[in-house]
Amino acid sequence: LLASASADKTVKVWDLSTGKCALTFTHHTDKVQAVQWNPVETSVLLSGSFDKSIAVFDANAPGTAAVKLSLPADVESCIWNPHAPQQVLASTEDGTVTCYDVRNVSAGPLFSFAAHPRKPCSSISISPVVRGLMATCSPDKTVKIWDLEAEGGPACVGERQMQAGSLFDVKFDVNEPFMLATGGDQGELAVWDLSSEANIAKVFKARAEGVAEAEAVAPPAAPVEAETAAASAPKSAKKSKSKKAGKN
């Protein structure tokens, strides 16, 4: 299954085996900027819209109302926290990043801070390897690095002008803990190796080493018959891709 978001205000789920749309969701009232599957509950989706909200909903229960959370401005990007999959994070046009725990939305956001105060925060990414390591980017041409587990709340531990123009997307490498890439309006991809930054490496080195040590002592996985694995894998576990809706 693949999920898509569109300027037509909808989220669609597609059956790639047939190439046909299987489900259409209409819970947003303006352009939908982003959509992402939950990494654990693989039928659950998160979407973000220019209607100043994010929504959590289950593709296996299309008749159930989405849980909608209000935000201070139009949503530019939204993601699940890979280390705490009950948490959703969204960045907005006013440069703010906000985090909710979907198990207790009535308590309000876990945190909200101005990541890029004078410009939109166009994209956010959390390292799938290093806990608490988040990157943001903006049309202000910078990438900023944040420690989500800093005492007192998220703290900026580094930033860089990436020389790629106004930035629209940022993403951590899934294998290299300190490698990220970003792209902007100059049509170029810029790569930043955070391990070369002493201040950043100092904050996150122990967490990265902890992951490596845990992997080193973990017992090897038991072999699984290919036919059994294929039969038991849920269709909704396949990753989705979304295209950002234009704001024109």
Side-chain angles (χ1 to χ4, degrees):
L1 297 179
L2 178 143
S4 64
S6 173
D8 67 5
K9 308 177 186 179
T10 69
V11 172
K12 293 180 181 289
V13 174
W14 302 82
D15 184 341
L16 296 181
S17 65
T18 64
K20 295 181 179 181
C21 178
L23 296 166
T24 299
F25 296 91
T26 58
H27 47 265
H28 287 297
T29 59
D30 207 333
K31 302 172 184 178
V32 186
Q33 186 78 339
V35 64
Q36 189 178 78
W37 296 102
N38 184 281
V40 176
E41 299 292 337
T42 54
S43 66
V44 175
L45 283 159
L46 167 68
S47 61
S49 169
F50 289 162
D51 65 7
K52 301 180 182 179
S53 78
I54 54 175
V56 177
F57 53 103
D58 193 337
N60 283 344
T64 303
V67 176
K68 294 188 72 175
L69 306 171
S70 297
L71 292 166
D74 295 350
V75 177
E76 296 285 340
S77 174
C78 59
I79 61 172
W80 299 94
N81 184 341
H83 305 284
Q86 73 279 5
Q87 294 179 7
V88 295
L89 296 93
S91 65
T92 48
E93 190 180 34
D94 63 353
T96 300
V97 172
T98 302
C99 177
Y100 278 93
D101 185 327
V102 297
R103 300 171 303 180
N104 190 18
V105 297
S106 61
L110 297 177
F111 57 77
S112 186
F113 63 92
H116 297 264
R118 291 173 296 278
K119 291 284 186 176
C121 183
S122 51
S123 182
I124 51 180
S125 180
I126 295 177
S127 169
V129 180
V130 182
R131 193 183 70 253
L133 174 56
M134 184 179 79
T136 61
C137 73
S138 169
D140 68 9
K141 304 179 182 181
T142 67
V143 168
K144 294 185 179 183
I145 306 302
W146 302 85
D147 181 4
L148 297 183
E149 298 186 356
E151 185 176 353
C156 183
V157 295
E159 64 178 279
R160 173 179 282 188
Q161 291 273 343
M162 299 301 293
Q163 309 302 320
S166 297
L167 301 178
F168 302 133
D169 203 6
V170 65
K171 198 76 171 179
F172 276 99
D173 189 288
V174 297
N175 297 311
E176 295 294 332
F178 293 111
M179 192 72 69
L180 63 79
T182 186
D185 63 1
Q186 293 183 359
E188 297 178 346
L189 186 68
V191 177
W192 187 7
D193 181 0
L194 302 181
S195 64
S196 64
E197 307 291 335
N199 290 342
I200 297 174
K202 181 180 178 181
V203 174
F204 296 104
K205 183 179 180 181
R207 296 181 209 170
E209 289 177 346
V211 171
E213 290 173 359
E215 291 178 345
V217 300
V224 178
E225 292 294 333
E227 292 182 1
T228 302
S232 62
K235 288 184 178 180
S236 56
K238 298 177 183 178
K239 289 187 177 180
S240 67
K241 294 182 179 179
S242 64
K243 293 185 178 180
K244 290 194 174 182
K247 196 162 185 183
N248 295 326

